Amino acid sequence: NFCLGWIALGRITENAGHREEAEGYYRKALACNTDAAQAATIATFCESRGWLETAATNYALGLKLDPTNAKLRRSAGKNLVSLEKYQSAVEQFREAVRLQPQSPELRLELGEALSLWGHDREALEAFGEVLQKDPGNVSALDGISRLRAKLAAQDTSGEH
């Protein structure tokens, strides 16, 4: 498989200390990639190297190849949060929740992304939905507590 060859060249080049050249090989692997799982593997590898934009490109390719893959959408959303692209992250998490409505973990990540994006009331709803599916979820309880305090402070100061 050509894609795996480009990845191997990238790893060898990176190990030799030539990061920019290695990233070029990884981009070539992306260009010949026709498999969603392989795109996810390349994206994860790029994330581990701190190449978040390249990872985002790979996640996008993987989602074009397999748009109903909730796990891939979750990974893409997490990557977008790392890039501070909160609106796009929320879109990925919303779609992942639609695909796997019983997953409290996806709703939790949706709530966090909504909060980071500044949509606190929607984030509260998402955290509440987590608790409906997983009562006692500490992360959801923390999110609700944090957001209620933030909203109370805004109400007190007159901000909205």
Side-chain angles (χ1 to χ4, degrees), residues 21 34 67 89 99 105 108 116 133 143 147:
E21 187 179 348
T34 58
L99 292 167
E105 295 83 13
L108 184 64
L116 290 167
K133 299 193 178 304
L147 288 172

Side-chain angles (χ1 to χ4, degrees), residues 6-155:
W6 289 123
I7 293 170
L9 279 172
R11 288 182 177 163
I12 292 166
T13 305
E14 184 179 8
N15 288 339
H18 304 285
R19 180 180 172 157
E20 286 184 27
E21 187 179 348
E23 190 169 356
Y25 288 124
Y26 297 130
R27 288 183 194 276
K28 288 180 182 185
L30 167 65
C32 72
N33 193 354
T34 58
D35 178 79
Q38 195 169 35
T41 299
I42 294 170
T44 302
F45 180 77
C46 290
E47 280 183 315
S48 74
R49 298 297 188 269
W51 304 335
L52 299 180
E53 290 289 346
T54 303
T57 302
N58 278 278
Y59 284 127
L61 173 66
L63 288 169
K64 283 182 186 175
L65 297 168
D66 186 2
T68 62
N69 187 326
K71 182 178 178 183
L72 191 55
R73 287 200 179 275
R74 179 183 189 187
S75 296
K78 291 168 100 172
N79 172 259
L80 291 163
V81 166
S82 296
L83 289 166
E84 298 182 5
K85 295 181 178 181
Y86 303 123
Q87 181 178 358
S88 296
V90 165
E91 291 168 8
Q92 292 302 328
F93 290 128
R94 280 188 173 140
E95 183 61 15
V97 166
R98 187 188 70 73
L99 292 167
Q100 288 187 345
Q102 296 306 314
S103 172
E105 295 83 13
L106 291 174
R107 290 177 191 279
L108 184 64
E109 292 187 272
L110 172 60
E112 290 296 340
L114 284 163
S115 177
L116 290 167
W117 190 26
H119 290 243
D120 296 333
R121 296 198 191 285
E122 288 179 79
L124 275 172
E125 288 177 33
F127 290 137
E129 290 171 1
V130 171
L131 293 176
Q132 289 174 0
K133 299 193 178 304
D134 182 11
N137 183 301
V138 175
S139 296
L141 291 168
D142 286 347
I144 288 171
S145 176
R146 178 176 35 87
L147 288 172
R148 283 184 177 163
K150 179 181 176 185
L151 291 170
Q154 288 174 351
D155 288 345

